[in-house]
């Protein structure tokens, strides 16, 4: 079963960090990726641009409306994600506990449509 580990950070965090902090954060993620490889967990992941660069589509009575920015204004923003393939939500949580935490991680099953 696949799970998305949705990584959140405080809005504007990545624009404000020093080069040394950025290097340390990237090293943490590299170590997490190595942990996943060592455990034989199939995974992928990406960092995302800040939410201010997002575009959202929303329904309206006149049809679909496009808007700049995320769907909901939050103090935290979705900063990146990993997709991991593992036995169940308990295992996904165990894996996520090894991931750099940032402002939080949401663990969500991936819809495996039939």
């Amino acid at each position: 079963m696949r799970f998305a580990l949705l990584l959140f950070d405080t809005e504007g965090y990545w624009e404000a960090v020093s080069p040394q902090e950025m290097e340390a954060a990237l090293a943490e993620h590299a170590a997490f990726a190595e942990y996943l490889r060592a455990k034989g967990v199939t995974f992928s992941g990406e960092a995302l641009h800040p939410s201010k660069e997002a575009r959202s589509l929303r329904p309206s009575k006149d049809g679909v409306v496009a808007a700049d920015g995320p769907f909901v204004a939050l103090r935290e923003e979705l900063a990146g994600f990993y997709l991991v393939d593992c036995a169940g939500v308990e295992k996904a949580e165990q894996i996520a506990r090894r991931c750099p935490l940032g402002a939080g991680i949401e663990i969500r099953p991936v819809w495996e449509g039939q």
Side-chain angles (χ1 to χ4, degrees):
M1 182 171 213
R2 292 185 310 149
F3 291 87
L5 309 182
L6 305 175
L7 312 180
F8 290 86
D9 275 314
T10 305
E11 187 175 358
Y13 175 78
W14 290 106
E15 291 93 356
V17 298
S18 70
Q20 295 80 9
E21 290 171 307
M22 177 66 80
E23 187 176 317
L26 293 175
E28 285 184 279
H29 284 281
F32 179 63
E34 185 52 40
Y35 162 78
L36 294 172
R37 281 195 239 3
K39 293 292 184 183
V41 176
T42 301
F43 74 97
S44 65
E46 298 291 341
L48 300 174
H49 281 259
S51 61
K52 67 183 178 188
E53 296 181 36
R55 164 125 331 178
S56 299
L57 299 178
R58 301 177 185 148
S60 78
K61 63 180 175 147
D62 299 320
V64 177
V65 175
D68 290 334
F71 184 73
V72 178
L74 301 171
R75 294 181 72 79
E76 293 81 26
E77 62 185 3
L78 183 60
F81 64 91
Y82 287 96
L83 290 177
V84 297
D85 196 344
C86 58
V89 70
E90 292 81 13
K91 184 65 176 174
E93 180 180 337
Q94 181 183 16
I95 289 167
R97 287 177 177 276
R98 298 291 300 261
C99 185
L101 187 59
I105 297 173
E106 180 179 332
I107 302 165
R108 190 181 301 182
V110 173
W111 186 267
E112 303 288 354
Q114 299 298 336

